[in-house]
Amino acid sequence: MEYTPLRISTVKPLRNLTFDLYIHFKDHYLCYAKNGEQLSEEKFQKLKSQKIAKFYITERDEVNYQKFLDALLDETLSNPKAELEEKVNMAEGAASSAIERMNTNPTESAFRATEKAAKSLRQVITGNPDALKKIFGKKAEKNEEIIKHSLNVCALSVKLAEVRRCTEQEMDDLGTAALIHDIGLTTLHKDDLALFTKPKKAFTNDDKRVYYLHCKDAAIILREKPFVTPVILELVINHEEVQSGLGPNKKKKLSQLEEILSMVNNYDKRIITNKTSPTQTLKDMMIDELGNYELNLLNDFKKVLQKEGLLD
Ligand SMILES: [Fe+2]
Ligand SMILES: [Fe+2]
């Protein structure tokens, strides 16, 4: 039997499950709750706080789970009485699940889940002034650094795209691409993964060559998937490009969406690798990245960070 990972934060207590929920523990998959059953509030909190077991559904329950999640997302995000915390957790859970699914098996169903998750994340951010602050206030869990980085980049680039008056379609494309932009890192050798947290300034030529392979690898993973649109594919492949032409693909002319994704990725990556504060990171970028991004885009980015309270 094939199993598909899910985040327990995307399941709600006291709600009929429409799928069998499996728990993976010590090399075994155990059916924890059956289709039609509910999780009690107490059980749910317990599951959420534990860090050992992971949760799965079987592949044939994917459609049922997605329907369950879509309904829950729509309900939670449009509920004026729901706390922001709950909305953020739900959207982040959906996005993390989707990224994890794309990383393990990039099927059409995983891709559709990613699109839906990106849309939900955007809905939370555009509808709640404090959402971005909440998202950026959370630290990445252990071994979840790349997923957290992808969430951050999605949230922030979609917000910037909104300020730049991008269309709904553009924001959807950008959000989806942002969630999976580092999918190529999944093929990087385990010993080379440390490069993800190594400051770019300390990169040797060899580091650079190895690390930048993740853009080409993303192309290999996504190229032959008919459900991945050309816009999204290009965005993912070109997320490390800069206008000076010094990116891995040596592209000089970037579309507005490509520039946004590359810039926001650059920002979040600097915070991870250089461990600088948001204010310092932005200052550094204003110096280091002139010529790589349009000055008015950098300035708009600064305004967004200020307005969202991310520079305090
Ligand atoms: Fe990257
Ligand atoms: Fe990245």
Side-chain angles (χ1 to χ4, degrees):
M1 198 140 50
E2 293 287 334
Y3 294 90
T4 305
L6 70 77
R7 300 283 157 142
I8 197 67
S9 57
T10 62
V11 179
K12 212 183 169 184
L14 307 179
R15 192 181 177 101
N16 283 357
L17 299 178
T18 58
F19 49 88
D20 295 339
L21 177 66
Y22 284 82
I23 193 162
H24 184 69
F25 184 63
K26 291 190 177 163
D27 292 334
H28 291 289
Y29 291 95
L30 301 165
C31 186
Y32 186 81
K34 277 207 165 321
N35 187 340
E37 291 178 0
Q38 299 187 347
L39 293 180
S40 69
E41 184 71 49
E42 197 194 345
K43 245 184 186 175
F44 176 71
Q45 292 305 338
K46 229 180 188 164
L47 291 179
K48 243 176 57 174
S49 58
Q50 63 84 29
K51 301 255 178 273
I52 317 157
K54 292 193 128 206
F55 301 92
Y56 290 85
I57 50 170
T58 61
E59 209 173 42
R60 55 162 215 236
D61 260 342
E62 273 179 6
V63 177
N64 297 333
Y65 165 67
Q66 196 59 42
K67 274 191 195 149
F68 175 94
L69 178 58
D70 288 355
L72 192 54
L73 276 169
D74 292 340
E75 213 178 283
T76 311
L77 301 194
S78 62
N79 179 3
K81 285 196 190 124
E83 300 262 351
L84 177 59
E85 178 86 22
E86 190 186 350
K87 293 181 182 181
V88 167
N89 285 346
M90 185 63 62
E92 281 192 328
S96 308
S97 284
I99 298 169
E100 204 172 4
R101 285 182 62 189
M102 283 298 287
N103 285 347
T104 41
N105 190 10
T107 59
E108 175 159 12
S109 133
F111 184 74
R112 299 290 168 227
T114 310
E115 289 181 314
K116 173 74 184 172
K119 238 188 197 342
S120 304
L121 211 48
R122 170 154 78 90
Q123 199 183 334
V124 176
I125 289 153
T126 50
N128 301 277
D130 290 328
L132 263 176
K133 209 173 169 178
K134 240 194 169 75
I135 292 170
F136 275 80
K138 286 188 203 173
K139 292 264 162 296
E141 304 260 346
K142 206 172 173 294
N143 299 326
E144 295 263 309
E145 289 84 3
I146 299 175
I147 288 184
K148 176 65 179 147
H149 161 67
S150 308
L151 289 182
N152 285 355
V153 174
C154 174
L156 203 45
S157 50
V158 163
K159 185 71 206 178
L160 181 57
E162 190 199 12
V163 171
R164 299 284 289 190
R165 301 222 174 86
C166 289
T167 63
E168 298 274 315
Q169 182 66 55
E170 286 173 327
M171 287 190 273
D172 282 341
D173 288 342
L174 181 60
T176 305
L179 287 182
I180 54 172
H181 78 274
D182 274 331
I183 192 170
L185 289 175
T186 52
T187 48
L188 216 61
H189 191 273
K190 237 175 71 208
D191 298 340
D192 294 326
L193 262 181
L195 291 174
F196 183 75
T197 46
K198 184 169 178 177
K200 235 185 206 169
K201 277 185 178 157
F203 266 22
T204 64
N205 280 339
D206 225 31
D207 289 345
K208 224 187 231 169
R209 184 187 55 76
V210 171
Y211 187 69
Y212 279 155
L213 282 178
H214 78 278
C215 300
K216 282 197 182 67
D217 288 340
I220 294 167
I221 295 167
L222 300 175
R223 206 170 35 205
E224 263 133 48
K225 308 270 183 275
F227 45 87
V228 178
T229 62
V231 175
I232 291 178
L233 183 62
E234 286 294 306
L235 277 167
V236 172
I237 296 173
N238 294 315
H239 77 267
E240 303 272 0
E241 299 305 304
V242 283
Q243 284 185 336
S244 58
L246 294 172
N249 302 330
K250 311 213 164 40
K251 194 171 164 155
K252 278 190 176 149
K253 216 176 142 23
L254 308 186
S255 71
Q256 169 161 247
L257 294 184
E258 284 170 344
E259 205 182 333
I260 291 175
L261 182 58
S262 168
M263 190 178 71
V264 175
N265 172 59
N266 190 317
Y267 170 81
D268 195 63
K269 203 67 203 322
R270 277 168 178 268
I271 291 189
I272 297 171
T273 56
N274 302 348
K275 308 212 164 37
T276 43
S277 69
T279 309
Q280 187 58 46
T281 306
L282 193 69
K283 264 190 201 154
D284 293 345
M285 280 182 79
M286 285 292 187
I287 297 164
D288 300 345
E289 305 294 344
L290 277 180
N292 281 340
Y293 307 109
E294 293 291 329
L295 187 57
N296 67 36
L297 188 65
L298 277 162
N299 281 328
D300 278 352
F301 185 46
K302 185 177 178 178
K303 274 186 226 153
V304 167
L305 292 172
Q306 265 163 350
K307 196 160 169 267
E308 297 291 321
L310 298 180
L311 294 182
D312 317 334

